[in-house]
């Protein structure tokens, strides 16, 4: 069974004015579709075919750039769409809020750390909030389409929140103003979804 582009649970214009419809449409229907197709092509006829994307990334041979780039791209964007929502955003609470305060002191300090990771990732990449076994959380960033599931990648653990800081994610609306895009992302984070992922991963 080949990987399929996941459907969005909201319309392309649902995240406006924070993330514009044209960017969402191109990002989902062109970029994410491209990673999906290229991943399927890269694993066709190999031992990876039929495995879950998590399994493929956790056991990735990092020198396999086709699977690294496109498997990462497939997984990262699938997470990205899920952790945003225009309506059902919830608010940071419960065990995840406790874990964030334990690691960063306060929610504002966490936001500053995450924003800094996103703003200072040189070139294309992602900022992450990860969970380690036992529940400790950590912010990090990765270049290109790498992510914390991959062997040897910075913070490790399970990513539960990810922000795409490739220019294709924001350039139409924000041009070079990546920090404004990062601020906007915080207005559409679906904390209910992030908390659900925290509970599963910890
Ligand atoms: Mn992208």
């Amino acid at each position: 069974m080949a990987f399929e582009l996941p459907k969005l649970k909201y319309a392309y214009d649902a995240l406006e004015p924070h993330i514009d419809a044209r960017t969402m449409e191109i990002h989902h229907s062109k970029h994410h579709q491209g990673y999906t197709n290229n991943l399927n092509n890269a694993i066709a006829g190999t031992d990876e075919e039929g495995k879950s994307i998590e399994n493929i990334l956790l056991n990735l041979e990092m020198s396999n750039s086709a699977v690294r780039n496109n498997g990462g791209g497939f997984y990262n964007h699938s997470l990205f769409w899920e952790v945003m929502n225009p309506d059902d955003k919830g608010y940071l609470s419960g065990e995840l809020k406790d874990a964030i305060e334990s690691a960063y002191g306060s929610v504002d300090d966490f936001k500053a750390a995450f924003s800094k990771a996103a703003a200072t990732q040189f070139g294309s990449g992602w900022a992450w909030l990860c969970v380690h076994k036992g529940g400790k959380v950590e912010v990090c960033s990765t270049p290109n389409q790498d992510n914390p599931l991959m062997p040897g990648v910075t913070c490790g653990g399970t990513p539960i929140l990810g922000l795409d800081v490739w220019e294709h994610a924001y350039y139409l609306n924000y041009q070079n103003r990546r920090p404004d895009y990062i601020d906007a992302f915080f207005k559409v984070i679906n904390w209910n979804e992030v908390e659900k992922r925290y509970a599963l991963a910890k």
Side-chain angles (χ1 to χ4, degrees):
M1 183 71 182
F3 290 107
E4 289 180 9
L5 180 69
K7 286 192 167 55
L8 293 190
K9 292 174 178 170
Y10 42 82
Y12 285 135
D13 64 0
L15 302 174
E16 291 200 346
H18 308 297
I19 301 181
D20 66 284
R22 181 96 175 111
T23 295
M24 285 296 295
E25 181 175 2
I26 296 169
H27 202 174
H28 178 256
S29 71
K30 304 294 185 198
H31 291 273
H32 198 183
Q33 183 72 67
Y35 294 120
T36 307
N37 296 346
N38 291 337
L39 171 63
N40 285 329
N41 291 335
I43 64 173
T46 74
D47 290 346
E48 310 314 307
E49 200 170 15
K51 291 182 181 170
S52 72
I53 187 61
E54 290 84 359
N55 197 355
I56 290 173
L57 298 182
L58 285 165
N59 298 291
L60 180 67
E61 191 62 61
M62 293 297 272
S63 61
N64 186 341
S65 56
V67 176
R68 181 178 178 175
N69 292 333
N70 295 295
F74 175 78
Y75 176 91
N76 297 347
H77 290 87
S78 300
L79 173 67
F80 185 49
W81 313 133
E82 292 275 316
V83 298
M84 297 187 290
N85 192 305
D87 305 315
D88 180 27
K89 293 196 284 285
Y91 54 91
L92 190 50
S93 62
E95 286 191 336
L96 176 57
K97 183 164 185 265
D98 292 344
I100 281 175
E101 288 175 344
S102 167
Y104 290 97
S106 71
V107 172
D108 281 347
D109 287 324
F110 153 72
K111 185 181 171 187
F114 187 94
S115 298
K116 186 181 177 194
T120 59
Q121 170 60 47
F122 182 75
S124 298
W126 291 74
W128 304 102
L129 177 65
C130 296
V131 187
H132 295 279
K133 285 292 171 206
K136 186 175 182 293
V137 294
E138 185 179 3
V139 164
C140 68
S141 64
T142 56
N144 304 314
Q145 296 296 352
D146 286 356
N147 73 46
L149 294 179
M150 296 176 180
V153 167
T154 53
C155 61
T158 305
I160 57 170
L161 177 68
L163 173 59
D164 188 343
V165 296
W166 285 57
E167 283 188 345
H168 69 226
Y170 63 87
Y171 204 86
L172 285 179
N173 201 28
Y174 293 99
Q175 294 81 49
N176 62 328
R177 303 189 311 278
R178 189 191 284 189
D180 291 351
Y181 161 69
I182 296 166
D183 283 345
F185 174 67
F186 272 92
K187 299 191 172 76
V188 295
I189 293 176
N190 179 356
W191 286 112
N192 290 330
E193 178 67 23
V194 182
E195 284 178 19
K196 199 171 82 186
R197 287 169 181 268
Y198 176 77
L200 284 171
K202 78 184 171 72

